[in-house]
Amino acid sequence: MAKSANSNLHRAAKMKNDEFYTRLADIEKELKHYKDQFKGKVVYCNCDDPFESNFFKYFAANFNVLGLKRLIATSYKPSPIANTQLGLFGDEENLTKPKGRPKVTANKLIINEVRDVDGDGAFDLHDIAEQLKANKNNEWAPLKGEGDFRSEESIGLLKQADIVVTNPPFSLFREYISQLMEYKKKFLIIGNDNAISYKEFFEFVRQNKIWNGYGKVKEFIQPDGTTKKFGNIGWYTNLDTIKRYEKLTLYKKYDPKNYPKYDNYKAIEVSKVTDIPLGYEGVMGVPVTFLDKYNPDQFEILGITDRDPNNKHRVKMYTKKDSPKYNDLNRRAAIKINGELRPTYARLLIKSKK
């Protein structure tokens, strides 16, 4: 399943097919860990048409429970499933123009207040719809442009926000995360595990400015209503998490026979995170899944063995004389097995802190 799911991701990125919608259950499962950090905050969902986004649905429905100051949601452009997923304004034919839903433009929705408008004793999305019709303390309007998160008006909304929460386009992930860091925003977003191999993104992780959230997201909704499975998709954040303070229990004893040295890096190979040797003081190459267990008080991330010829821990660059597969070998760390050089998967280079 994992191989097939990863193939789906690579295919989606190659085709720039970014129409994948996050399930409400996955949002609820992750957000339950951060509730105290949202009180009094302005939340911005800037890749989220309120007609189709479960992120908007979650924050609108939990506006008072979380104690939000404001919720802002914008869409990029009219979606092929607009108004079919949430049915938020199912009776929109009763809306009077110009309050009716924009048909050919991106939308902006700003929620400042929610309350039990219909007096049924509970607050729900119907109450939001009623408040929007009356235009009381909330705003619903088309954007001037297409709602690109890089546009001037989207950046203007971003500047108002304290925390950004969304599932950004896979194909624009690098630009998206760079923008969040440039404007020094707190965030909780969905991304590919392989993003760690992006040079700029890795530096943010290495400097402890970005870390993993709690869970994985294995299924997304497609515009036709079907679901698609992915592997290696999870949450990235700079909100505080309890898990990053949990110490990884180490029980393996270092033995050179079980931890081969790389031929081209000054480090040892640790093929499983659970096999990190206790008390080893040198540099270790570990799978990128280590990030799920990373405690910055216990370990230091030094580098990554992925397409980085200038990595200071690299000690050798191969040529054709060394192997006909020298390009593959130079891409990552290599181990010599029975006299033959073999590349490993991308490895994080880490070191235990004393």
Side-chain angles (χ1 to χ4, degrees), residues 316-330 341:
K316 182 186 296 184
M317 289 292 290
Y318 298 109
T319 66
K320 198 171 183 178
K321 293 180 180 179
D322 299 304
S323 169
K325 299 180 181 178
Y326 67 98
N327 282 329
D328 290 340
L329 295 173
N330 283 330
L341 288 170

Side-chain angles (χ1 to χ4, degrees), residues 281-316:
E281 296 182 351
V283 180
M284 300 172 279
V286 297
V288 295
T289 53
F290 166 81
L291 289 180
D292 281 329
K293 305 292 183 182
Y294 175 46
N295 176 341
D297 292 327
Q298 186 179 14
F299 297 100
E300 179 182 5
I301 296 177
L302 304 172
I304 184 170
T305 65
D306 189 76
R307 294 168 287 186
D308 184 6
N310 299 317
N311 191 308
K312 68 178 183 179
H313 301 283
R314 183 191 285 271
V315 296
K316 182 186 296 184

Side-chain angles (χ1 to χ4, degrees), residues 141-332:
L143 292 168
K144 295 178 182 176
E146 292 187 328
D148 190 311
F149 67 87
R150 298 161 293 189
S151 68
E152 186 175 343
E153 60 184 339
S154 293
I155 291 175
L157 294 170
L158 176 65
K159 289 178 179 177
Q160 300 177 31
D162 297 305
I163 306 175
V164 177
V165 185
T166 192
N167 174 15
F170 291 153
S171 62
L172 298 174
F173 186 82
R174 276 181 266 206
E175 286 184 71
Y176 189 84
I177 201 76
S178 294
Q179 185 188 73
L180 293 179
M181 301 305 290
E182 177 184 352
Y183 288 93
K184 303 183 187 310
K185 295 302 175 183
K186 292 290 186 181
F187 59 84
L188 177 63
I189 63 172
I190 291 174
N192 177 1
D193 286 359
N194 293 327
I196 191 64
S197 65
Y198 303 156
K199 185 177 180 180
E200 300 84 359
F201 185 79
F202 170 76
E203 275 304 305
F204 292 136
V205 173
R206 190 186 67 78
Q207 297 171 22
N208 296 315
K209 294 180 178 178
I210 298 175
W211 45 88
N212 282 21
Y214 288 89
K216 295 294 183 184
V217 185
K218 298 181 178 179
E219 291 186 6
F220 292 86
I221 303 167
Q222 298 187 100
D224 63 2
T226 61
T227 60
K228 183 165 248 185
K229 298 181 184 295
F230 287 95
N232 303 326
I233 300 290
W235 297 85
Y236 289 114
T237 188
N238 58 1
L239 295 172
D240 204 12
T241 66
I242 294 174
K243 61 179 286 189
R244 67 192 302 262
Y245 301 107
E246 295 174 345
K247 196 170 183 178
L248 179 62
T249 301
L250 307 178
Y251 61 93
K252 289 279 189 176
K253 185 178 179 180
Y254 174 69
D255 184 338
K257 296 179 182 177
N258 298 324
Y259 298 93
K261 291 182 179 179
Y262 295 130
D263 187 67
N264 54 345
Y265 280 84
K266 194 175 182 180
I268 62 170
E269 161 76 353
V270 181
S271 59
K272 296 180 181 177
V273 174
T274 54
D275 289 346
I276 294 175
L278 176 65
Y280 186 76
E281 296 182 351
V283 180
M284 300 172 279
V286 297
V288 295
T289 53
F290 166 81
L291 289 180
D292 281 329
K293 305 292 183 182
Y294 175 46
N295 176 341
D297 292 327
Q298 186 179 14
F299 297 100
E300 179 182 5
I301 296 177
L302 304 172
I304 184 170
T305 65
D306 189 76
R307 294 168 287 186
D308 184 6
N310 299 317
N311 191 308
K312 68 178 183 179
H313 301 283
R314 183 191 285 271
V315 296
K316 182 186 296 184
M317 289 292 290
Y318 298 109
T319 66
K320 198 171 183 178
K321 293 180 180 179
D322 299 304
S323 169
K325 299 180 181 178
Y326 67 98
N327 282 329
D328 290 340
L329 295 173
N330 283 330
R331 186 179 180 187
R332 293 172 177 162

